[in-house]
Amino acid sequence: MLITIFFFPAFAKASVPESKDPIRIILNNWTSQIVMAKIYGKILEAKGYEVEYKELTTKDQWARLHRGLEHVQVEVWEGTMAEDLERVRAKGQIVEVSDHDAKTREEWWYPSYVEELCPGLPDWKALKKCASLFSDSTTAPRGRYVAGPWEKPEKARIRALEMDFTVRPVKQADDLWVELEKSYQKKEPIVLFNWSPNWVEDRFEGKFIEFPNYSAECETNPAWGVNSERIHDCGNPKDGWLKKVAWVKMEQTWPCAYGVLSDMNFTNAMISKVSALVDADGMTYDQAADRWLKENHSLQNSWGQHSCGK
């Protein structure tokens, strides 16, 4: 009697999509996050997955990821989300999938032509000496710092570093770029809040101000730093991480989709460029995602190869 024994390799991959359940991808309220989410979603749709999008604030997203109501967040910033991520991750229902190569930063920023008017930049001491160059009719003789609409300890930093500046916040984020464009066209000095990655660095040359290096003690211990009587005498953290996170059961439910997410990787320049398609060129989020996918066919095809098979 002939007995035939078949051996099936343990690593055989399930057919894609592994589940008919939709993969729900979070959309936040800024361009790069939305476009990258759309890029990821379109890659999955091309593989046969059902994809849904859910608009959520950065605060509301964590509970829904924790409960498995949403499954993916493609752009988690260290500077604004680290505490919430750690709190929810500790409960065991969210995983950190991998980091992008992009590094994050939020800081005072100026266009490069200002260096001709204020030698010594980007050092903060040079900015301090040149404060009057940045004044306008509402702040003269003090310099004007154009702040974002968010609550940040800018006034405390100005006091601690004894800088002759007045904070002038805008009402919404896009107003920052209106102010930048006005000054840029006339080559007038301006210093404003900016962040990276951001579309601005794809279209405007400029640099962040280099304040004293950040330390957690800067926020709590007056004795630390250049001013022994005040806190906040330092800059913001540099080289923050940018992560992708997912619902803890995503890998076992959709291994291929999880592998694509793990391999998906953007640099600062890549994020800046794709964001500029929307914020500078007026494309829709979907149009920008489609443009990127068309121009980066080989790269996107390399994402998830190990997990998705042929």
Side-chain angles (χ1 to χ4, degrees):
M1 181 178 179
L2 178 63
I3 299 177
T4 302
I5 301 176
F6 295 93
F7 292 93
F8 295 93
F11 54 82
K13 297 179 175 64
S15 60
V16 177
E18 307 90 341
S19 169
K20 294 182 179 180
D21 292 338
I23 299 176
R24 293 187 289 273
I25 304 172
I26 290 171
L27 300 181
N28 292 141
N29 64 344
W30 66 92
T31 299
S32 61
Q33 196 279 340
I34 296 173
V35 176
M36 286 202 293
K38 294 281 188 175
I39 288 171
Y40 177 61
K42 288 173 184 288
I43 292 173
L44 297 192
E45 287 174 334
K47 294 182 180 295
Y49 289 101
E50 180 75 19
V51 173
E52 296 178 358
Y53 299 98
K54 178 68 174 181
E55 295 182 9
L56 291 170
T57 67
T58 55
K59 290 297 182 183
D60 292 339
Q61 67 189 356
W62 302 110
R64 297 186 66 85
L65 277 167
H66 173 77
R67 295 160 60 191
L69 299 175
E70 267 69 56
H71 307 124
V72 179
Q73 163 46 306
V74 300
E75 189 179 324
V76 176
W77 285 59
E78 180 176 6
T80 54
M81 300 189 220
E83 291 184 8
D84 286 333
L85 172 61
E86 178 57 29
R87 173 178 52 80
V88 181
R89 188 187 62 79
K91 298 178 181 179
Q93 298 302 307
I94 292 178
V95 293
E96 299 176 17
V97 180
S98 59
D99 288 10
H100 292 283
D101 282 345
K103 298 299 181 182
T104 62
R105 187 175 184 183
E106 300 177 350
E107 194 57 272
W108 294 29
W109 184 95
Y110 64 91
S112 293
Y113 62 79
V114 177
E115 293 182 351
E116 298 178 7
L117 305 172
C118 184
L121 289 176
D123 190 289
W124 71 275
K125 294 178 181 177
L127 181 68
K128 181 176 178 178
K129 293 178 181 178
C130 296
S132 62
L133 281 174
F134 299 87
S135 67
D136 68 3
S137 59
T138 69
T139 67
R142 296 172 64 87
R144 178 183 68 141
Y145 166 64
V146 184
W150 311 281
E151 286 291 332
K152 294 184 179 292
E154 307 287 14
K155 293 181 180 178
R157 179 192 291 178
I158 289 171
R159 287 193 297 268
L161 295 178
E162 299 177 344
M163 301 178 71
D164 201 16
F165 275 86
T166 298
V167 176
R168 285 288 184 262
V170 296
K171 293 183 179 180
Q172 56 188 18
D174 286 347
D175 291 338
L176 289 168
W177 321 132
V178 173
E179 294 297 319
L180 173 59
E181 182 66 30
K182 287 194 301 186
S183 296
Y184 207 90
Q185 291 297 327
K186 299 178 181 179
K187 293 295 186 287
E188 293 178 344
I190 185 172
V191 59
L192 69 159
F193 180 78
N194 197 359
W195 60 92
S196 178
N198 181 14
W199 73 272
V200 168
E201 59 197 297
D202 187 68
R203 302 300 171 92
F204 296 90
E205 292 186 7
K207 295 178 182 177
F208 289 109
I209 295 295
E210 299 297 340
F211 289 106
N213 288 334
Y214 173 82
S215 167
E217 287 188 84
C218 175
E219 300 178 333
T220 59
N221 182 7
W224 181 95
V226 298
N227 187 333
S228 61
E229 297 181 356
R230 292 186 181 274
I231 59 174
H232 294 297
D233 50 346
C234 65
N236 293 324
K238 304 175 185 178
D239 296 328
W241 45 249
L242 194 68
K243 293 183 181 292
K244 296 152 287 178
V245 302
W247 176 49
V248 69
K249 295 183 180 179
M250 183 183 177
E251 184 174 16
Q252 68 185 59
T253 307
W254 305 283
C256 170
Y258 185 90
V260 173
L261 181 65
S262 180
D263 291 346
M264 179 180 177
N265 184 15
F266 280 79
T267 64
N268 287 68
M270 291 164 66
I271 294 175
S272 301
K273 184 174 182 179
V274 77
S275 299
L277 295 176
V278 175
D279 292 330
D281 297 340
M283 289 187 180
T284 66
Y285 301 125
D286 282 291
Q287 288 171 337
D290 289 339
R291 167 74 71 83
W292 189 91
L293 289 167
K294 181 179 179 180
E295 295 178 351
N296 295 273
H297 187 73
S298 296
L299 178 59
Q300 58 159 309
N301 282 344
S302 71
W303 295 344
Q305 282 188 345
H306 178 72
S307 302
C308 302
K310 295 182 179 179

